[in-house]
Amino acid sequence: LRRQKVSVQGGDSQRNIDYELAVLYVSLYQFSDAESLLKSLMVQKDLISAQSGFKLGWIYKNTDRRPEAEKIYLQLLRFQNLPSDLELGVHGELADIYYRQKKSAKALEYYKKMKEKAEEREGEETDGIWKSLSAYEQANIYNFDLKDKAKAQELLNSISESFVDSETDDNFNDDFFVVSGSDLRAQAFRALATRQLGQS
C-alpha cells in the first residue's frame, strides 16, 4: 500500500484518513509504515493524537521496545480529556508491560487502577468486561507470582458472582487453578469470550 494524498476540505479530514491508513498498516503488521504515520499524527494534541499514541505504544510493546511504549502510555495518562475507554486501555497496556518485565507489584497497581476507573464510570456497556479482566489478571498475579491463593480466589469470586452462570462457575474456578502460569493470560481472554462475561 502506498499513501495517496486525498483532496479533501480541512486538515482534520486528512488526519482521519491518515489515521485509518495507519490502523490498516497495523492490522497488516506493516509496523514501520504505521509508525511513521502515527508519529506524524501525534503532533497535535487532540483525540486523533491520543488514539495514534495508543497504537504507537502497542507497536513498541509488541516489538520489544517496552521502555518507549511505557513512556508514551504515561504521557497519554497526562492527556487532557482522554476518553475513558482509552484511559482504561492505557492502564491495561501499562500493566501488561510491567508484567512482561516481571514487575508484578507494578502490574498489579495498574490492574487495580483499571478496575477503579471502570467503577467510576456510570453504567458504560463495557464496564463489566474491564472489571472482569482486571480481576482475572490480578488473580493471576496473586496466585502465580505472589502465591496468595486466598486473594486470588476472592478476586475470582468477584467475577463469578456477577458474570458466570451457575453451570460454569465450578469449571471457571477449577480452570484457573490448574492452568499453568504461562498459559493463564490466554485463558483469561478465552474465558471472557466463551463465558460472555460482559453480559449482565
Side-chain angles (χ1 to χ4, degrees):
L1 292 175
R2 292 184 179 179
R3 182 185 177 195
Q4 300 292 326
K5 196 71 175 178
V6 180
S7 178
V8 293
Q9 292 185 350
D12 286 345
S13 297
Q14 183 61 54
R15 294 181 77 242
N16 282 324
I17 292 169
D18 288 348
Y19 176 73
E20 292 301 326
L21 182 57
V23 171
L24 178 59
Y25 282 138
V26 172
S27 71
L28 296 172
Y29 293 90
Q30 296 180 11
F31 292 151
S32 60
D33 291 322
E35 184 176 341
S36 61
L37 271 176
L38 293 169
K39 283 181 177 178
S40 70
L41 290 168
M42 289 177 64
V43 176
Q44 298 182 32
K45 298 301 180 184
D46 57 8
L47 178 58
I48 292 177
S49 174
Q51 292 171 325
S52 298
F54 187 87
K55 291 289 186 187
L56 186 60
W58 186 89
I59 290 173
Y60 287 157
K61 186 190 77 170
N62 288 283
T63 52
D64 294 324
R65 290 179 283 176
R66 292 181 192 130
E68 293 173 75
E70 178 188 8
K71 181 179 178 181
I72 286 179
Y73 287 134
L74 290 173
Q75 287 174 344
L76 282 178
L77 289 180
R78 296 191 292 270
F79 195 94
Q80 191 172 11
N81 299 321
L82 187 68
S84 57
D85 268 332
L86 200 56
E87 183 181 13
L88 287 163
V90 169
H91 280 98
E93 290 294 336
L94 282 166
D96 187 45
I97 289 169
Y98 294 132
Y99 191 79
R100 293 185 188 202
Q101 294 174 335
K102 302 188 184 303
K103 298 177 180 178
S104 299
K106 197 77 172 172
L108 192 62
E109 174 188 342
Y110 277 92
Y111 281 128
K112 287 179 178 178
K113 287 180 179 179
M114 179 199 291
K115 184 173 183 291
E116 290 168 3
K117 292 295 180 181
E119 289 173 342
E120 288 174 4
R121 305 199 309 176
E122 297 180 0
E124 294 287 335
E125 190 173 329
T126 55
D127 286 352
I129 295 174
W130 286 115
K131 289 187 284 188
S132 296
L133 181 58
S134 170
Y136 206 102
E137 293 288 9
Q138 288 183 64
N140 170 21
I141 293 171
Y142 277 112
N143 187 52
F144 290 100
D145 297 273
L146 303 180
K147 310 302 180 186
D148 187 343
K149 291 187 181 295
K151 183 63 176 178
Q153 185 65 65
E154 178 187 331
L155 286 158
L156 288 180
N157 290 344
S158 74
I159 302 173
S160 61
E161 287 171 5
S162 301
F163 300 106
V164 182
D165 61 46
S166 58
E167 293 180 4
T168 59
D169 187 35
D170 290 339
N171 289 335
F172 182 78
N173 284 280
D174 291 344
D175 287 350
F176 180 92
F177 287 105
V178 299
V179 74
S180 69
S182 61
D183 294 336
L184 187 58
R185 294 180 59 74
Q187 177 81 1
F189 287 98
R190 185 170 65 82
L192 283 171
T194 60
R195 292 171 172 71
Q196 299 181 326
L197 299 185
Q199 294 184 358
S200 56

